[in-house]
Amino acid sequence: MKAKKLAELAMLAAVALIIFIVELQFPNLTPIQGVKLGLANIITVYAVYKYTAKEVFLIVVTRVILGALFSSHISIILYSITGSMTCLAGMLLLKRVIPRKYLWLCSILGAVLHNTGQTVMAVILMRSVAAAANYPILILTGCIAGLFTGICAQTVLKRDLRNTGKT
């Protein structure tokens, strides 16, 4: 990997990490565990449509691991990595059928996959199906957050492509 590409990926991971840390400072929007905006996913969705699968994987893993360390929430790394990898795998597949102009749709479906991965991990770790009680609410709020992050990522990608002369 060339130094320029590595610097770009490191910068994107750093921006995603900063967004994640800032979002941790927001008060919970609901009393329901797991409901959050997921603003760092703007970077992930953008990267899915701009970089290779391997490069996006590096960005996401870096953000998840450093985010867990910096936030002192090491115990939630299993939830984060499971949700993130489920989301990433799904979005990489969806990218093949969802064109760039509908990137926001890929983001919504990615949010659903993220919540699904985290819920499955909760059921496994807690050894109880009751851990999935909030799943319908997580899907609804995930769709709303996914739409917002997708629109943001689409805006960033359009601007980036315009500035680089690509369409």
Side-chain angles (χ1 to χ4, degrees):
M1 184 178 303
K2 293 186 178 183
K4 181 181 178 186
K5 179 70 73 168
L6 186 59
E8 284 179 30
L9 299 177
M11 184 183 68
L12 287 171
V15 169
L17 184 59
I18 290 166
I19 293 169
F20 173 79
I21 298 295
V22 168
E23 188 177 353
L24 284 177
Q25 307 309 309
F26 297 171
N28 287 340
L29 300 173
T30 70
I32 299 164
Q33 185 76 14
V35 173
K36 60 182 246 177
L37 293 172
L39 298 175
N41 291 322
I42 294 168
I43 304 302
T44 304
V45 178
Y46 162 79
V48 162
Y49 277 83
K50 170 106 177 170
Y51 296 97
T52 67
K54 178 183 172 186
E55 292 165 343
V56 182
F57 175 81
L58 291 172
I59 293 169
V60 172
V61 169
T62 300
R63 177 184 52 89
V64 168
I65 292 171
L66 291 177
L69 290 172
F70 290 169
S71 68
S72 301
H73 292 109
I74 302 299
S75 60
I76 64 165
I77 199 163
L78 286 175
Y79 295 103
S80 295
I81 204 74
T82 303
S84 295
M85 290 300 112
T86 305
C87 171
L88 180 58
M91 285 198 308
L92 288 169
L93 291 172
L94 290 168
K95 171 187 167 186
R96 296 175 181 201
V97 295
I98 297 175
R100 202 169 42 221
K101 69 181 180 178
Y102 298 112
L103 176 149
W104 55 270
L105 181 58
C106 187
S107 179
I108 292 171
L109 296 171
V112 169
L113 291 169
H114 185 90
N115 286 326
T116 302
Q118 285 190 325
T119 302
V120 168
M121 182 53 68
V123 168
I124 291 168
L125 292 177
M126 295 178 189
R127 297 184 183 144
S128 171
V129 179
N134 291 334
Y135 184 67
I137 295 167
L138 291 175
I139 294 303
L140 176 63
T141 59
C143 287
I144 295 166
L147 176 61
F148 178 74
T149 58
I151 290 170
C152 292
Q154 190 162 359
T155 302
V156 171
L157 186 62
K158 277 183 187 176
R159 181 167 293 176
D160 180 44
L161 294 175
R162 196 175 317 124
N163 289 339
T164 59
K166 298 177 184 173
T167 55

